[in-house]
Amino acid sequence: MAVKTGRLTTHVLDTHLGRPAAGLIIELWNVSGEPVKLKTTMTNSDGRVDEPLLQGESLKMGIYELRFRAGEYLHGTGANLSNPPFLDVIPIRFGVSNAMQHYHVPLLLSAHGYSTYRGS
């Protein structure tokens, strides 16, 4: 029987264009104390990252923050943005209370709004 380990994943959907947000840069920070950047990655053509952001022993209880570089992405899509754009870097701060669970933090994005939830 396989040992169950926790993991952290994300994906981004561009709700304005109605498709996955490919090429969006995401930073992962541990903000339990002094902020520490753990990883920088980019979404693939499906709006997902190619592997879990954290998994197994690297996922620990604590407070994390995903920083989605929405302004750069939206500018690249040709979206009609103000200067500066209304949305630039979108931080989503969340807690991991059980490192054995799957934490999925998706972002639904448009040029003037976003939403998130704990997915599965």
Side-chain angles (χ1 to χ4, degrees), residues 4-95:
K4 182 178 178 186
T5 62
R7 66 190 189 280
L8 171 63
T9 58
T10 189
H11 76 273
V12 184
L13 299 176
D14 184 326
T15 59
H16 174 73
L17 296 176
R19 65 181 188 211
L24 191 145
I25 297 170
I26 303 167
E27 297 174 354
L28 172 64
W29 291 74
N30 183 321
V31 294
S32 294
E34 186 70 27
V36 175
K37 188 188 325 185
L38 302 175
K39 182 178 283 192
T40 300
T41 189
M42 182 181 295
T43 57
N44 60 25
S45 62
D46 196 32
R48 299 178 183 277
V49 295
D50 290 330
E51 60 187 32
L53 297 165
L54 295 172
Q55 66 181 345
E57 292 183 8
S58 65
L59 180 63
K60 299 180 182 350
M61 288 178 49
I63 307 296
Y64 294 89
E65 187 171 280
L66 289 170
R67 297 178 186 174
F68 297 87
R69 292 199 201 156
E72 293 173 33
Y73 163 78
L74 292 165
H75 180 73
T77 67
N80 186 16
L81 303 176
S82 58
N83 188 15
F86 178 68
L87 295 175
D88 189 14
V89 177
I90 298 172
I92 298 176
R93 188 170 288 197
F94 58 95

XYZ file of all heavy atoms in Angstrom, residues 4-95:
711
model
N 0.471 7.747 1.899
C -0.159 8.995 1.472
C 0.684 10.170 1.950
O 1.044 10.251 3.117
C -1.568 9.098 2.052
C -2.301 10.335 1.605
C -3.694 10.384 2.158
C -4.368 11.666 1.719
N -5.659 11.845 2.317
N 1.036 11.051 1.026
C 1.759 12.260 1.387
C 1.000 13.465 0.868
O 0.291 13.391 -0.134
C 3.192 12.279 0.803
O 3.106 12.250 -0.630
C 4.009 11.099 1.277
N 1.175 14.576 1.550
C 0.502 15.806 1.143
C 1.196 16.449 -0.039
O 2.339 16.134 -0.379
N 0.468 17.368 -0.648
C 1.042 18.127 -1.764
C 0.293 19.439 -1.929
O -0.852 19.574 -1.478
C 1.043 17.322 -3.049
C -0.314 17.002 -3.617
C -0.165 15.987 -4.763
N -1.406 15.788 -5.478
C -2.408 15.015 -5.066
N -2.322 14.373 -3.922
N -3.500 14.890 -5.792
N 0.949 20.378 -2.579
C 0.380 21.685 -2.888
C 0.399 21.861 -4.391
O 1.456 21.729 -5.020
C 1.189 22.794 -2.214
C 0.854 24.230 -2.616
C -0.581 24.589 -2.248
C 1.840 25.195 -1.978
N -0.767 22.139 -4.963
C -0.879 22.351 -6.402
C -1.707 23.603 -6.670
O -2.385 24.127 -5.788
C -1.547 21.142 -7.096
O -2.849 20.931 -6.507
C -0.708 19.883 -6.946
N -1.651 24.067 -7.909
C -2.440 25.227 -8.324
C -2.729 25.136 -9.812
O -2.103 24.360 -10.540
C -1.697 26.556 -8.006
O -2.575 27.653 -8.240
C -0.455 26.726 -8.858
N -3.668 25.914 -10.255
C -3.866 26.154 -11.674
C -4.532 27.515 -11.823
O -5.087 28.046 -10.870
C -4.660 25.039 -12.376
C -6.128 25.051 -12.115
N -6.696 24.417 -11.024
C -7.148 25.602 -12.805
C -8.004 24.593 -11.062
N -8.308 25.310 -12.128
N -4.436 28.079 -13.039
C -4.975 29.410 -13.296
C -5.821 29.360 -14.561
O -5.372 28.864 -15.601
C -3.853 30.469 -13.465
C -4.453 31.860 -13.626
C -2.877 30.422 -12.300
N -7.050 29.855 -14.450
C -7.943 29.973 -15.609
C -8.186 31.441 -15.908
O -8.476 32.228 -15.000
C -9.267 29.264 -15.325
C -9.174 27.773 -15.050
C -10.543 27.211 -14.679
C -8.586 27.037 -16.243
N -8.051 31.808 -17.168
C -8.325 33.168 -17.623
C -9.807 33.225 -17.971
O -10.232 32.727 -19.010
C -7.458 33.472 -18.841
C -7.602 34.895 -19.341
O -8.713 35.463 -19.250
O -6.600 35.429 -19.848
N -10.614 33.793 -17.068
C -12.064 33.798 -17.279
C -12.487 34.782 -18.351
O -13.568 34.632 -18.914
C -12.814 34.091 -15.965
O -12.410 35.355 -15.452
C -12.550 32.997 -14.947
N -11.666 35.775 -18.665
C -11.997 36.713 -19.743
C -11.871 36.027 -21.103
O -12.743 36.153 -21.956
C -11.104 37.950 -19.691
C -11.310 38.877 -20.846
N -12.433 39.662 -20.955
C -10.566 39.107 -21.946
C -12.366 40.354 -22.076
N -11.241 40.033 -22.695
N -10.779 35.301 -21.283
C -10.544 34.621 -22.560
C -11.167 33.232 -22.605
O -11.237 32.624 -23.666
C -9.039 34.521 -22.846
C -8.319 35.864 -23.033
C -6.819 35.632 -23.213
C -8.900 36.625 -24.218
N -11.583 32.713 -21.452
C -12.215 31.395 -21.403
C -11.268 30.256 -21.689
O -11.634 29.291 -22.363
N -10.048 30.356 -21.150
C -9.055 29.309 -21.388
C -8.042 29.282 -20.246
O -7.978 30.220 -19.444
C -8.341 29.536 -22.719
C -7.514 30.810 -22.742
C -6.851 31.003 -24.084
N -5.919 32.134 -24.014
C -5.632 32.922 -25.022
N -6.185 32.722 -26.189
N -4.774 33.908 -24.871
N -7.234 28.232 -20.186
C -6.174 28.196 -19.178
C -5.204 29.362 -19.384
O -4.966 29.794 -20.520
C -5.474 26.861 -19.439
C -6.489 26.027 -20.150
C -7.292 26.993 -20.974
N -4.662 29.856 -18.302
C -3.708 30.963 -18.356
C -2.297 30.386 -18.478
O -1.644 30.084 -17.486
C -3.837 31.830 -17.113
N -1.834 30.227 -19.704
C -0.506 29.678 -19.964
C 0.545 30.774 -19.853
O 0.322 31.901 -20.283
C -0.462 29.056 -21.353
N 1.683 30.444 -19.249
C 2.796 31.386 -19.173
C 2.709 32.386 -18.038
O 3.399 33.397 -18.070
N 1.892 32.121 -17.025
C 1.770 33.022 -15.881
C 2.793 32.622 -14.815
O 2.861 31.461 -14.420
C 0.359 32.967 -15.303
C 0.013 34.043 -14.287
C -1.447 34.451 -14.422
C 0.303 33.616 -12.872
N 3.596 33.565 -14.373
C 4.633 33.310 -13.373
C 4.007 33.304 -11.982
O 3.200 34.174 -11.645
C 5.752 34.358 -13.465
C 6.436 34.266 -14.832
C 6.763 34.175 -12.327
C 7.387 35.401 -15.133
N 4.410 32.314 -11.180
C 3.902 32.150 -9.817
C 5.096 31.994 -8.879
O 6.006 31.209 -9.157
C 3.009 30.896 -9.692
C 1.849 30.949 -10.680
C 2.506 30.731 -8.258
C 1.118 29.626 -10.828
N 5.059 32.737 -7.790
C 6.057 32.571 -6.732
C 5.385 31.921 -5.540
O 4.249 32.251 -5.210
C 6.622 33.920 -6.295
C 7.372 34.660 -7.370
C 7.787 36.046 -6.926
O 7.400 36.490 -5.825
O 8.513 36.706 -7.696
N 6.099 31.021 -4.874
C 5.631 30.400 -3.644
C 6.518 30.871 -2.507
O 7.750 30.785 -2.599
C 5.693 28.874 -3.743
C 5.410 28.115 -2.443
C 3.978 28.358 -1.954
C 5.691 26.640 -2.621
N 5.887 31.401 -1.458
C 6.592 31.912 -0.288
C 6.119 31.188 0.963
O 4.932 30.888 1.097
C 6.303 33.396 -0.113
C 6.904 34.268 -1.170
C 6.472 34.409 -2.465
C 8.023 35.123 -1.033
N 7.265 35.298 -3.134
C 8.231 35.763 -2.270
C 8.881 35.414 0.032
C 9.253 36.675 -2.470
C 9.898 36.326 -0.175
C 10.081 36.940 -1.420
N 7.030 30.955 1.886
C 6.666 30.538 3.236
C 6.668 31.818 4.057
O 7.693 32.507 4.150
C 7.672 29.532 3.800
C 7.266 29.030 5.168
O 6.758 29.771 6.004
N 7.481 27.755 5.401
N 5.521 32.166 4.630
C 5.393 33.417 5.390
C 5.040 33.135 6.847
O 4.453 33.972 7.523
C 4.376 34.383 4.728
C 4.891 34.859 3.379
C 3.013 33.741 4.571
N 5.428 31.955 7.335
C 5.170 31.606 8.734
C 5.935 32.527 9.677
O 5.493 32.782 10.790
C 5.552 30.153 9.001
O 4.708 29.294 8.268
N 7.086 33.002 9.270
C 7.899 33.949 10.035
C 8.367 35.011 9.065
O 7.579 35.594 8.333
N 9.663 35.234 9.033
C 10.249 36.114 8.013
C 9.976 35.475 6.651
O 10.267 34.289 6.455
C 11.760 36.252 8.264
C 12.444 37.240 7.373
C 12.073 38.676 7.667
O 11.710 38.985 8.822
O 12.135 39.490 6.727
N 9.390 36.207 5.683
C 9.067 35.599 4.385
C 10.299 35.019 3.679
O 11.351 35.651 3.634
C 8.485 36.760 3.583
C 7.988 37.716 4.616
C 8.946 37.599 5.768
N 10.127 33.804 3.158
C 11.186 33.115 2.426
C 10.601 32.612 1.116
O 9.615 31.859 1.112
C 11.738 31.914 3.238
C 12.760 31.137 2.424
C 12.320 32.374 4.561
N 11.203 33.039 -0.005
C 10.739 32.535 -1.299
C 11.238 31.111 -1.484
O 12.424 30.841 -1.369
C 11.230 33.400 -2.457
C 10.573 32.974 -3.767
C 11.062 33.600 -5.055
C 11.493 34.981 -5.051
N 11.818 35.457 -6.425
N 10.301 30.197 -1.748
C 10.629 28.785 -1.911
C 10.800 28.383 -3.368
O 11.573 27.480 -3.674
C 9.536 27.912 -1.283
C 9.267 28.131 0.206
C 8.091 27.280 0.652
C 10.514 27.837 1.019
N 10.051 29.047 -4.252
C 10.042 28.587 -5.641
C 9.430 29.649 -6.540
O 8.532 30.375 -6.134
C 9.212 27.310 -5.725
C 9.126 26.662 -7.080
C 8.322 25.371 -7.034
C 9.187 24.303 -6.441
N 8.638 22.956 -6.601
N 9.917 29.696 -7.773
C 9.283 30.462 -8.842
C 9.037 29.486 -9.973
O 9.924 28.707 -10.340
C 10.177 31.619 -9.323
O 10.444 32.489 -8.228
C 9.488 32.411 -10.434
N 7.825 29.510 -10.512
C 7.471 28.585 -11.580
C 6.554 29.292 -12.570
O 6.204 30.456 -12.374
C 6.809 27.312 -10.991
O 6.660 26.337 -12.023
C 5.462 27.628 -10.362
N 6.161 28.599 -13.608
C 5.290 29.176 -14.636
C 4.249 28.145 -15.053
O 4.552 26.943 -15.122
C 6.122 29.584 -15.857
C 5.303 30.235 -16.963
S 6.313 30.666 -18.404
C 7.375 31.908 -17.719
N 3.043 28.616 -15.331
C 1.992 27.708 -15.777
C 2.270 27.207 -17.191
O 2.828 27.905 -18.017
C 0.610 28.384 -15.733
O 0.636 29.570 -16.542
C 0.208 28.736 -14.309
N 1.842 25.969 -17.434
C 1.994 25.365 -18.750
C 0.767 25.686 -19.625
O -0.081 26.491 -19.235
C 2.246 23.855 -18.625
C 1.110 23.124 -17.920
O -0.045 23.571 -17.904
N 1.428 21.978 -17.324
N 0.654 25.035 -20.756
C -0.447 25.326 -21.688
C -1.814 24.976 -21.117
O -2.833 25.453 -21.610
C -0.230 24.583 -23.010
O -0.226 23.182 -22.788
N -1.842 24.167 -20.060
C -3.097 23.804 -19.401
C -3.374 24.693 -18.187
O -4.307 24.432 -17.430
C -3.034 22.325 -18.990
C -4.394 21.757 -18.648
O -5.406 22.183 -19.249
O -4.461 20.898 -17.752
N -2.554 25.733 -17.984
C -2.734 26.637 -16.855
C -2.278 26.046 -15.532
O -2.555 26.587 -14.470
N -1.567 24.931 -15.590
C -1.085 24.244 -14.385
C 0.434 24.306 -14.336
O 1.081 24.588 -15.343
C -1.533 22.778 -14.393
C -3.043 22.638 -14.396
C -3.486 21.178 -14.454
N -4.920 21.091 -14.538
C -5.748 21.154 -13.508
N -5.283 21.292 -12.291
N -7.058 21.068 -13.675
N 0.989 23.999 -13.175
C 2.432 23.832 -13.089
C 2.727 22.360 -13.334
O 1.875 21.502 -13.117
C 2.991 24.346 -11.750
C 2.803 25.849 -11.639
C 2.340 23.667 -10.574
N 3.926 22.063 -13.816
C 4.236 20.703 -14.254
C 4.366 19.685 -13.130
O 4.281 18.489 -13.381
C 5.510 20.703 -15.099
C 5.294 21.369 -16.452
O 4.161 21.313 -16.976
O 6.259 21.958 -16.978
N 4.587 20.154 -11.911
C 4.694 19.250 -10.764
C 4.168 19.979 -9.536
O 4.039 21.205 -9.551
C 6.144 18.810 -10.561
C 7.087 19.956 -10.303
C 8.542 19.512 -10.270
O 8.912 18.575 -10.975
O 9.300 20.135 -9.504
N 3.855 19.242 -8.482
C 3.385 19.919 -7.269
C 4.396 20.969 -6.796
O 5.615 20.781 -6.924
C 3.258 18.788 -6.252
C 3.005 17.573 -7.089
C 3.835 17.782 -8.325
N 3.885 22.071 -6.276
C 4.758 23.120 -5.751
C 5.531 22.621 -4.535
O 6.700 22.955 -4.357
C 3.932 24.351 -5.393
C 3.233 25.012 -6.578
C 2.163 25.971 -6.100
C 4.246 25.711 -7.463
N 4.868 21.857 -3.708
C 5.485 21.178 -2.564
C 4.828 19.815 -2.455
O 3.643 19.673 -2.771
C 5.254 21.944 -1.263
C 5.890 23.316 -1.116
C 5.394 23.992 0.162
C 7.409 23.233 -1.123
N 5.593 18.839 -1.979
C 5.004 17.526 -1.730
C 5.870 16.743 -0.759
O 7.046 17.054 -0.595
C 4.793 16.739 -3.017
C 6.036 16.341 -3.752
C 5.708 15.595 -5.023
O 4.596 15.134 -5.242
N 6.685 15.462 -5.893
N 5.249 15.765 -0.125
C 5.974 14.926 0.813
C 6.525 15.735 1.976
O 5.850 16.592 2.536
N 7.788 15.493 2.308
C 8.411 16.141 3.457
C 8.603 17.643 3.276
O 8.779 18.359 4.255
C 9.745 15.472 3.780
C 9.582 14.064 4.302
C 10.909 13.438 4.685
O 11.945 14.135 4.695
O 10.905 12.238 4.984
N 8.599 18.145 2.048
C 8.782 19.587 1.840
C 7.522 20.385 2.188
O 7.598 21.587 2.411
C 9.223 19.886 0.407
O 8.209 19.541 -0.514
N 6.355 19.725 2.235
C 5.115 20.396 2.656
C 5.005 20.266 4.169
O 4.894 19.170 4.699
C 3.898 19.777 1.973
C 2.548 20.397 2.352
C 2.472 21.862 1.926
C 1.407 19.610 1.735
N 5.059 21.402 4.831
C 4.999 21.430 6.288
C 3.829 22.301 6.744
O 3.351 23.144 5.990
C 6.301 22.005 6.852
C 7.532 21.187 6.478
C 8.780 21.775 7.047
C 10.052 21.061 6.699
N 10.075 19.820 6.081
N 3.394 22.088 7.971
C 2.371 22.967 8.539
C 2.915 24.390 8.544
O 4.103 24.600 8.776
C 2.030 22.544 9.970
C 1.237 21.265 10.058
S 0.903 20.748 11.760
C 0.292 22.219 12.507
N 2.046 25.355 8.283
C 2.486 26.742 8.305
C 1.641 27.610 7.411
O 0.605 27.196 6.881
N 2.104 28.834 7.231
C 1.420 29.828 6.403
C 2.242 30.023 5.134
O 3.451 30.288 5.186
C 1.277 31.176 7.143
C 0.625 30.992 8.508
C 0.510 32.182 6.289
C -0.789 30.483 8.464
N 1.568 29.926 4.003
C 2.201 30.076 2.702
C 1.501 31.184 1.914
O 0.376 31.560 2.217
C 2.118 28.768 1.901
C 2.914 27.642 2.516
C 2.340 26.800 3.463
C 4.241 27.424 2.158
C 3.067 25.765 4.031
C 4.973 26.393 2.713
C 4.382 25.567 3.657
O 5.101 24.550 4.217
N 2.179 31.657 0.893
C 1.579 32.656 0.009
C 1.993 32.345 -1.422
O 3.176 32.156 -1.708
C 2.050 34.060 0.407
C 1.348 35.167 -0.338
C 1.688 36.522 0.235
O 1.100 36.894 1.276
O 2.556 37.198 -0.338
N 1.004 32.284 -2.289
C 1.243 32.212 -3.724
C 1.108 33.624 -4.261
O 0.140 34.324 -3.944
C 0.230 31.287 -4.407
C 0.403 29.802 -4.127
C -0.790 29.019 -4.650
C 1.695 29.289 -4.743
N 2.073 34.054 -5.053
C 2.029 35.376 -5.684
C 1.960 35.168 -7.188
O 2.921 34.737 -7.821
C 3.244 36.210 -5.291
C 3.294 36.485 -3.799
C 4.519 37.265 -3.396
N 4.575 37.372 -1.937
C 5.597 37.904 -1.291
N 6.640 38.378 -1.955
N 5.576 37.955 0.031
N 0.802 35.480 -7.732
C 0.535 35.295 -9.155
C 0.839 36.612 -9.869
O 0.233 37.637 -9.556
C -0.925 34.920 -9.374
C -1.325 33.610 -8.747
C -1.755 33.547 -7.433
C -1.285 32.436 -9.481
C -2.136 32.350 -6.850
C -1.670 31.225 -8.909
C -2.092 31.182 -7.599
N 1.735 36.603 -10.825
C 2.101 37.821 -11.560
C 1.100 38.055 -12.693
O 1.391 37.881 -13.876
C 3.521 37.716 -12.082
C 4.538 37.733 -10.970
C 5.895 38.083 -11.512
N 6.933 37.656 -10.618
C 8.183 37.411 -10.997
N 8.529 37.536 -12.257
N 9.071 37.035 -10.106
N -0.072 38.472 -12.290
C -1.191 38.643 -13.213
C -0.965 39.780 -14.204
O -1.344 39.668 -15.365
C -2.478 38.878 -12.430
N -0.378 40.889 -13.747
C -0.172 42.033 -14.638
C 0.664 41.683 -15.850
O 0.305 42.014 -16.985
N 1.778 40.997 -15.617
C 2.638 40.573 -16.734
C 1.885 39.650 -17.679
O 1.968 39.778 -18.896
C 3.882 39.854 -16.203
C 4.821 40.726 -15.424
C 5.940 39.916 -14.774
O 6.375 38.896 -15.360
O 6.379 40.310 -13.679
N 1.171 38.687 -17.103
C 0.416 37.738 -17.926
C -0.645 38.474 -18.750
O -0.748 38.278 -19.967
C -0.243 36.670 -17.052
C -1.331 35.935 -17.797
C -1.025 34.944 -18.718
C -2.676 36.285 -17.633
C -2.016 34.304 -19.443
C -3.670 35.645 -18.349
C -3.335 34.662 -19.251
O -4.323 34.049 -19.978
N -1.457 39.292 -18.088
C -2.548 39.989 -18.780
C -2.018 40.915 -19.873
O -2.603 41.002 -20.957
C -3.399 40.766 -17.779
C -4.213 39.889 -16.818
C -4.726 40.711 -15.646
C -5.359 39.204 -17.549
N -0.928 41.592 -19.599
C -0.314 42.444 -20.624
C 0.060 41.601 -21.845
O -0.163 42.010 -22.986
C 0.910 43.162 -20.059
C 1.576 44.056 -21.044
N 1.026 45.256 -21.445
C 2.733 43.918 -21.733
C 1.825 45.823 -22.340
N 2.863 45.024 -22.526
N 0.596 40.411 -21.606
C 0.988 39.522 -22.694
C -0.173 39.000 -23.521
O 0.017 38.580 -24.660
N -1.391 39.010 -22.961
C -2.559 38.539 -23.721
C -3.140 39.636 -24.603
O -4.059 39.380 -25.375
C -3.682 38.051 -22.785
O -4.198 39.153 -22.051
C -3.206 36.941 -21.867
N -2.622 40.851 -24.442
C -3.164 41.970 -25.198
C -4.372 42.604 -24.540
O -5.063 43.412 -25.154
N -4.627 42.249 -23.285
C -5.762 42.831 -22.561
C -5.600 44.345 -22.473
O -4.483 44.856 -22.365
C -5.862 42.234 -21.157
N -6.709 45.044 -22.553
C -6.706 46.507 -22.450
C -6.571 46.884 -20.980
O -7.538 46.877 -20.237
C -8.002 47.066 -23.054
C -7.997 48.574 -23.104
O -6.956 49.207 -22.978
N -9.168 49.149 -23.302
N -5.334 47.194 -20.570
C -5.041 47.458 -19.168
C -4.755 48.936 -18.931
O -4.201 49.612 -19.788
C -3.816 46.654 -18.720
C -3.876 45.147 -18.891
C -2.543 44.534 -18.501
C -5.005 44.563 -18.068
N -5.098 49.392 -17.744
C -4.714 50.743 -17.341
C -3.228 50.725 -16.989
O -2.605 49.675 -16.878
C -5.548 51.181 -16.138
O -5.374 50.279 -15.062
N -2.663 51.913 -16.800
C -1.261 52.016 -16.413
C -1.158 52.815 -15.141
O -1.408 54.013 -15.174
C -0.436 52.653 -17.518
C 1.054 52.593 -17.223
O 1.485 51.847 -16.360
N 1.821 53.383 -17.944
N -0.857 52.228 -14.005
C -0.552 50.821 -13.811
C -1.813 49.963 -13.909
O -2.922 50.473 -13.733
C 0.039 50.777 -12.398
C -0.606 51.917 -11.688
C -0.802 52.981 -12.732
N -1.653 48.652 -14.133
C -2.840 47.801 -14.242
C -3.564 47.693 -12.903
O -2.953 47.811 -11.840
C -2.264 46.442 -14.656
C -0.844 46.462 -14.215
C -0.408 47.901 -14.278
N -4.863 47.505 -12.968
C -5.659 47.343 -11.747
C -5.141 46.180 -10.915
O -4.971 46.285 -9.707
C -7.136 47.149 -12.100
C -8.011 46.934 -10.897
C -8.227 47.967 -9.993
C -8.612 45.719 -10.659
C -9.010 47.782 -8.865
C -9.409 45.518 -9.547
C -9.610 46.553 -8.644
N -4.888 45.048 -11.551
C -4.306 43.884 -10.877
C -2.893 43.683 -11.392
O -2.669 43.635 -12.598
C -5.130 42.623 -11.150
C -6.540 42.611 -10.590
C -7.272 41.354 -11.042
C -6.518 42.703 -9.065
N -1.970 43.560 -10.476
C -0.587 43.292 -10.863
C -0.162 41.965 -10.241
O -0.385 40.921 -10.832
C 0.319 44.440 -10.428
C 1.716 44.322 -10.999
O 1.933 43.524 -11.930
O 2.616 45.030 -10.516
N 0.364 41.980 -9.045
C 0.711 40.745 -8.348
C -0.429 40.407 -7.389
O -0.807 41.238 -6.563
C 2.034 40.889 -7.573
C 2.326 39.612 -6.792
C 3.176 41.212 -8.528
N -0.986 39.217 -7.534
C -2.093 38.776 -6.680
C -1.542 37.816 -5.628
O -1.130 36.700 -5.960
C -3.187 38.080 -7.510
C -3.779 39.048 -8.526
C -4.263 37.503 -6.596
C -4.729 38.397 -9.510
N -1.539 38.242 -4.351
C -1.085 37.339 -3.301
C -2.258 36.566 -2.702
O -3.299 37.136 -2.387
C -0.486 38.296 -2.264
C -1.305 39.543 -2.419
C -1.730 39.598 -3.873
N -2.096 35.272 -2.569
C -3.102 34.450 -1.895
C -2.387 33.751 -0.736
O -1.520 32.908 -0.951
C -3.745 33.428 -2.847
C -4.465 34.165 -3.974
C -4.712 32.522 -2.075
C -5.066 33.281 -5.024
N -2.760 34.154 0.482
C -2.143 33.609 1.693
C -3.080 32.558 2.271
O -4.272 32.796 2.409
C -1.901 34.735 2.693
C -1.098 34.293 3.889
C -0.672 35.470 4.724
N 0.369 36.215 4.021
C 1.160 37.098 4.611
N 1.028 37.355 5.892
N 2.083 37.730 3.912
N -2.524 31.417 2.632
C -3.334 30.309 3.131
C -2.518 29.500 4.131
O -1.286 29.551 4.143
C -3.815 29.421 1.973
C -2.685 28.850 1.162
C -2.194 27.578 1.432
C -2.087 29.592 0.152
C -1.141 27.060 0.710
C -1.029 29.084 -0.573
C -0.555 27.811 -0.296
N -3.222 28.748 4.950
C -2.576 27.930 5.965
C -2.642 26.453 5.636
O -3.643 25.971 5.110
